[in-house]
């Protein structure tokens, strides 16, 4: 059997990865055929999602079981932590691509279309009369007139919600270390509730944008960057909140000790990451 | 589990968490991809053998160019290096396995899915993607049904690489033998550590770029549409922010391999180990600030062009340090020329030639002439084929005895080397002349003035392709070779040579004791 | 075939020096800047040759002299700070020698002010459109009929029998010798790039953006190039031909153009 006492731990074989790959196959083929216009694709995609969800439940379940069974040692714990850290880093880089697009559009392509730098003729011959500005849906006014969301109102409330949730998760963490399970579960519950409220409010915001402001994904570069950035962020909040919820269930079941609680910490880190991205969004998308 | 051997049958490969099994699967997968991508290159070269269109339609030719590159880059070279990392890094640092073995299995098994999807596009209405591996919009948006499949297969490759890279970083940082401090790590481990960081930093950016393509195509966003305030050139910036580090992802592990092999066959320690580490880090850092040298003709402001020119030229300095250190290692050594050493030496020669043309490309006014001509094709095949691919052959010959427990056929190995070296030059050297004389890349047919050198290149390519069959022969007959000793070579350094050949299924159940470690490094 | 094979090997080795029908180097071209570009190319090339001689020389020396089969005992040094400093610093200086002239030429290349005439060049899948800004001349320029027939798969026409196979168009861009021509590039669909090696210019044609470049041809003649950015299936079939005429010939051409119904070309 595996030896928890020695320094190295090597896990059992597992069929979950290959299940995951099959799920990905169905998911990707499904989405693609769906996008190409075949309705069947949707169902293939949903099948893929189902397989992947099953895989995640099974895989994480196995890991949680092993962890609870005391098979892991400090080194495994550290491997998990480092793994999570670098995973989050890769997510940061994914967002960087979209922030990059935003900065490029605002500082390069829009002014150039307006004739700045070496683009005098671009403006004169192709987009005569277009003046660079932000927000904009470009010289072709793609998507028609629109209004922006503005930094106050819902976005500000959402900022407050996310910042608060970062505090509550930290309180929960301290409580976990101090062994105060009651506080832990209360504040953890508060955190994911705040997360879900955030997602709900964002949905309200999107509906408002689409119905009242004519601000859409198709509203030129402004709409593109606005919805892609906030949309991917919202997706991450949703995932994060679901993970917090699962962690909460585990807390209720009595998992985690003050010494060993990688699962909790991983999700907490993830939550902080989501929070930091939001601050960036708030500043660069809504405010400036 | 630490105390029993592999499962039986197919389950062993599907479910395995063993770094050696996974490494083997990576290596075999990449070899298969090399042959598929190579066959596509042969379609290209056969069509280009003579002026006039003889065999394929222009659309199909472009599909071949695109698929050839995607398969070679993401399917052959990158997985091959990950395979080597899987096999060797745990053994070199005294770890029992990779840090996250199940995820390791998943990173591998995503690849067949990704490439299955990509290859299936060849049979779709509208054919495979044909807009070059760089996928520039708006052209890429004219792809037929293959379009979303292309995007998602790139996503999958990205996911696989990121997970692989995370695993490698964690293994190196967390699983080292207790007394192996960082600057004592073997060069191969070092270069892979740096490569893994590059991977985590840039693969997500590529994912972002292709996601924008997807939404521009299907959901009406305007990232790459000037009328909406976007810019087609923006894609190129994001792509090359990924793309340039990507080319170093394909060469840094090669530097590592060569840094292992040259000392062994020079019977001398690696010259300037620490400065090699700094040089590799420097290259990695610089690789993030040179991307726009692929875009000197897009109409960037002058200041941008000058900045990217200077930054690019600077990369020659740390790369030079590496070349000089290898020569310093050989200097006053006691050299022998087994097959791995031959490939490593050819690497140093021919990579340098590719590097020289790289520096020429970096000079903006000249690049305005070179850009998108066969001069560029010559440049990057020199760094990729006798560069990355040769280093992979060198690594395979060097470690095969450790993997299989048997010596490969040295005569066949040498033959493979000499034929490959001759033909690789015959294939790619004339491309410099073609480019300078004005032949653009990515064309299925050309004016008669380019005929002679194209003919040479095509002959070379077929010769080079056939020569690779010798490598397959060597692999297939390896088991029949003489039994390898544990050390295999006369004076290799490193922990991998302290374990039996073939390496047992589980190498280090407990951390190697200090004594062993010291013997291996001092 | 055999003849070609036999030529191949020495052709490779002596390519630079030998046979005239093999174009092996960048053309010097017919503008001041194309000549400068050529100089920069050669400068970089010779520096690389020089560095190559030193690097490969040292390596070959070691390969020949320091072999085990000659009974050499390996030394055991593993670093030398002195050597490392030298071979870090020296390349930096060399690079500076290359970078400075390159930057100077670059600055001139970007200076398209005060042209004598301007042409808007628009890329289409798969032909070019030329629009003279200072007159109402405008026309498309497509691959010439002769090449068009021969280029088909299994056309049965030997490309060698077609003059300027794939490098001939129906209507070339015509400009006067010695005039500074500003080229304003854009595209109607996907990316293209306008490249004429003898004029040493290549610039991308991008939909929605106008890129500027310029040339001033000092010698009359016909200069040929090709589209240099992958633009779909017929990317290989949209050549660029620029005819540079003496002043009087040019005047005659202009007169001819305005006389004929240029509209039929539109
Ligand atoms: C393994 C892959 C690899 C590597 C290592 C490199 C290395 C380099 N590359 Fe290359 N490159 C590619 C793969 C690679 N490249 C690919 C795939 C493309 C085309 C992509 C596409 O368009 O499809 C490309 C294209 C490309 C371009 C764009 C060309 C164009 O499209 O117009 C440029 C321009 O600057 C460039 C430059 C360089 C430079 C300066 C280096 C340097 O790192 C080289 C440094 C090495 C040396 C210089 C030799 C050793 C040094 C010495 C002996 C010291 C002394 C030397 C001097 C002082 C000169 N490369
Ligand atoms: C690691 C990357 C890699 C590798 C290894 C190669 C390997 C080769 N490449 Fe590739 N190539 C690229 C990366 C790579 N290439 C990239 C990035 C591009 C740019 C694409 C673009 O423009 O978008 C490109 C483009 C490219 C072109 C330009 C196409 C164009 O512009 O239209 C050409 C043309 O000759 C070419 C040729 C070759 C050849 C002959 C080989 C050979 O080395 C291949 C040798 C291998 C084999 C031949 C297969 C093995 C043997 C068999 C299958 C046995 C059977 C053999 C016979 C029956 C003869 N490549
Ligand atoms: Cu137009 Cu290529
Ligand atoms: Cu590059």
């Amino acid at each position: 059997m595996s030896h928890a006492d020695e320094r190295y731990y090597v896990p059992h074989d597992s069929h979950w990865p290959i299940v995951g790959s099959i799920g990905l196959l169905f998911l990707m083929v499904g989405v693609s055929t769906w996008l190409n216009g075949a309705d069947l694709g949707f169902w293939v995609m949903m099948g893929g999602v189902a397989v992947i969800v099953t895989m995640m439940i099974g895989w994480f379940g196995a890991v949680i079981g092993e962890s609870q069974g005391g098979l892991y040692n400090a080194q495994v714990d550290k491997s998990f932590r480092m793994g999570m850290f670098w995973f989050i880093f890769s997510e940061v880089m994914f967002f960087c691509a979209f922030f990059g697009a935003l900065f490029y559009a605002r500082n390069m392509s829009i002014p150039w279309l307006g004739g700045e730098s070496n683009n005098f003729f671009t403006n004169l011959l192709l987009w005569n009369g277009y003046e660079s500005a932000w927000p904009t849906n470009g010289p072709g006014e793609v998507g028609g007139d629109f209004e922006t969301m503005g930094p106050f109102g819902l976005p500000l409330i959402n900022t407050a919600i996310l910042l608060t949730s970062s505090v509550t998760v930290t309180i929960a963490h301290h409580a976990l270390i101090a062994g105060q399970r009651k506080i832990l579960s209360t504040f953890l519950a508060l955190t994911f509730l705040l997360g879900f409220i955030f997602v709900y409010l964002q949905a309200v915001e999107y509906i408002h944008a689409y119905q009242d402001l004519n601000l859409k994904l198709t509203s030129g570069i402004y709409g593109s960057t606005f919805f892609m950035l906030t949309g991917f962020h919202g997706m991450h909040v949703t995932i994060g909140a679901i993970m917090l919820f699962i962690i909460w269930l585990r807390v209720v079941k009595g998992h985690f000790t003050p010494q060993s609680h990688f699962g909790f910490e991983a999700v907490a880190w993830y939550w902080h990451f989501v929070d930091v991205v939001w601050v960036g969004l708030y500043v660069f998308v809504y405010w400036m | 589990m630490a105390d029993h051997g592999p499962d039986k049958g197919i389950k062993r490969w599907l479910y395995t968490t063993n770094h050696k099994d996974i490494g083997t699967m990576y290596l075999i997968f990449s070899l298969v991809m090399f042959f598929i991508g190579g066959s596509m290159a042969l379609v290209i070269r056969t069509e280009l053998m003579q002026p006039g269109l003889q065999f394929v339609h222009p659309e199909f030719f472009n599909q071949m160019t695109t698929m050839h590159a995607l398969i070679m880059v993401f399917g052959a070279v990158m997985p091959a290096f990950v395979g080597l990392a899987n096999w060797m890094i745990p053994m070199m640092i005294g770890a029992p396995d990779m840090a996250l073995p199940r995820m390791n299995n998943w990173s591998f098994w995503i690849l067949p899915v990704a490439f299955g999807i990509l290859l299936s596009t060849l049979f779709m209405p509208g054919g495979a993607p044909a807009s070059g591996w760089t996928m520039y919009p708006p052209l890429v948006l004219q792809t037929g049904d293959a379009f979303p499949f292309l995007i998602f297969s790139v996503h999958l490759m990205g996911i696989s690489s990121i997970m692989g890279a995370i695993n490698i970083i964690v293994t190196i940082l967390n699983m080292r033998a207790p007394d192996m401090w960082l600057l004592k790590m073997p060069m191969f481990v070092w270069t892979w550590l740096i490569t893994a960081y590059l991977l985590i930093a840039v693969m997500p950016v590529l994912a972002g770029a292709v996601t924008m393509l997807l939404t521009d195509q299907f959901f009406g966003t305007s990232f790459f549409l000037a009328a909406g305030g976007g810019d087609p050139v923006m894609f190129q910036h994001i792509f090359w922010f990924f793309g340039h580090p990507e080319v170093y992802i394909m060469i840094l592990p090669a530097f590592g391999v060569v840094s292992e092999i040259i000392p062994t066959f020079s019977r001398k320690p690696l010259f300037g180990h620490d400065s090699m580490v700094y040089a590799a880090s420097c290259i990695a850092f610089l690789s993030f600030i040179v991307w726009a040298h692929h875009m000197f003709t897009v109409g960037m402001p002058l200041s941008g062009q000058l900045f990217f020119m200077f930054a690019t030229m600077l990369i020659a300095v740390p790369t030079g340090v590496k070349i000089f250190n290898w020569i310093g290692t050989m200097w006053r050594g006691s050299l022998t020329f087994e097959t791995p050493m031959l490939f490593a030496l050819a690497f140093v020669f021919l990579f340098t030639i590719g590097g020289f043309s790289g520096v020429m490309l970096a000079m903006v006014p000249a690049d305005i002439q070179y850009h998108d001509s066969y001069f560029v094709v010559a440049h990057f095949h020199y760094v990729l084929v006798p560069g990355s691919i040769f280093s992979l052959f060198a690594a395979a010959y060097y470690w095969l005895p450790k993997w299989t427990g048997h010596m490969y056929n040295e005569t066949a190995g040498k033959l493979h080397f000499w034929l490959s070296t001759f033909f690789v030059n015959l294939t790619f050297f004339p491309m410099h002349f073609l480019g300078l004389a004005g032949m653009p890349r990515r064309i299925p047919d050309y004016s008669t003035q380019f005929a002679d050198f194209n003919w040479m290149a095509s002959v070379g390519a077929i010769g080079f392709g056939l020569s690779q069959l010798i490598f397959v022969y060597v692999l297939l007959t390896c088991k029949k070779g003489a039994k390898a000793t544990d050390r295999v070579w006369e004076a290799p350094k490193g922990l991998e040579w302290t374990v039996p050949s073939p390496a047992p299924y589980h190498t280090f159940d407990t951390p190697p004791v200090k004594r062993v470690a010291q013997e291996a490094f001092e | 075939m055999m003849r070609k094979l036999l030529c191949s090997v020495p052709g490779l080795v002596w390519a630079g020096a030998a046979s005239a029908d093999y174009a092996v180097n960048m053309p010097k071209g017919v503008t001041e800047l194309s000549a400068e570009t050529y100089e920069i190319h050669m400068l970089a090339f010779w520096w690389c040759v020089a560095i190559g001689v030193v690097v490969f020389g040292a390596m070959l020396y070691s390969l020949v002299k320091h072999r085990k089969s000659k009974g050499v005992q390996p030394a055991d040094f593993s670093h030398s700070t002195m050597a490392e400093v030298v071979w870090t610093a020296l390349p930096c200086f060399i690079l500076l020698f290359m970078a400075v002239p390159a930057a100077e030429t670059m600055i001139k290349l970007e200076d398209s002010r005060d042209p004598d005439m301007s042409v808007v060049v628009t890329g289409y899948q798969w032909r070019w459109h030329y629009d003279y800004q200072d007159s109402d001349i405008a026309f498309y320029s497509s691959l010439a009929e002769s090449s068009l027939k021969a280029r088909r798969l299994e056309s049965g026409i030997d490309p060698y029998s077609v003059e300027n196979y794939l490098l001939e168009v129906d209507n070339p861009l015509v400009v006067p010798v010695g005039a500074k021509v500003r080229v304003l590039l854009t595209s109607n669909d996907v990316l293209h790039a306008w490249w004429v090696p003898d004029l040493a210019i290549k610039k991308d044609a991008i939909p929605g953006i106008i890129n500027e470049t310029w040339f001033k041809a000092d010698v009359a003649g016909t200069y040929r190039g090709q589209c240099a950015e992958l633009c779909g299936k017929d990317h290989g079939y949209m050549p660029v031909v620029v005819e540079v005429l003496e002043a009087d010939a040019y005047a005659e051409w202009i007169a001819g153009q305005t006389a004929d119904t240029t509209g039929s070309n539109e």
Side-chain angles (χ1 to χ4, degrees), chain B residues 34-39 41-42 44-45 48 61-62 65-66 68-70 72-73 76-77 131-134 250 372 374 377 380-381 384-385 388-389 424 427-428 431 440-444 454 457 460-469, chain C residues 230:
Chain B
F34 176 66
F35 274 64
I36 297 178
S39 309
L42 290 180
I44 298 174
R45 282 309 339 158
L48 290 178
F61 182 91
N62 290 347
T65 301
T66 306
H68 158 67
L70 287 171
M72 284 299 197
V73 169
V77 174
S131 51
W133 81 289
T134 48
M250 292 190 279
D372 263 329
Y374 261 78
V377 178
F380 66 73
H381 282 95
L384 283 167
V385 184
S388 309
I389 299 281
V424 90
T427 312
F428 296 115
M431 291 187 187
R441 58 193 279 209
R442 296 165 164 174
I443 57 173
N454 266 306
I462 294 167
F464 184 76
L466 288 174
S467 313
Q468 303 323 307
L469 297 176
Chain C
L230 180 60

Side-chain angles (χ1 to χ4, degrees), chain B residues 244 247 293-294:
Chain B
H244 189 81
V247 307
H293 64 219
H294 296 271

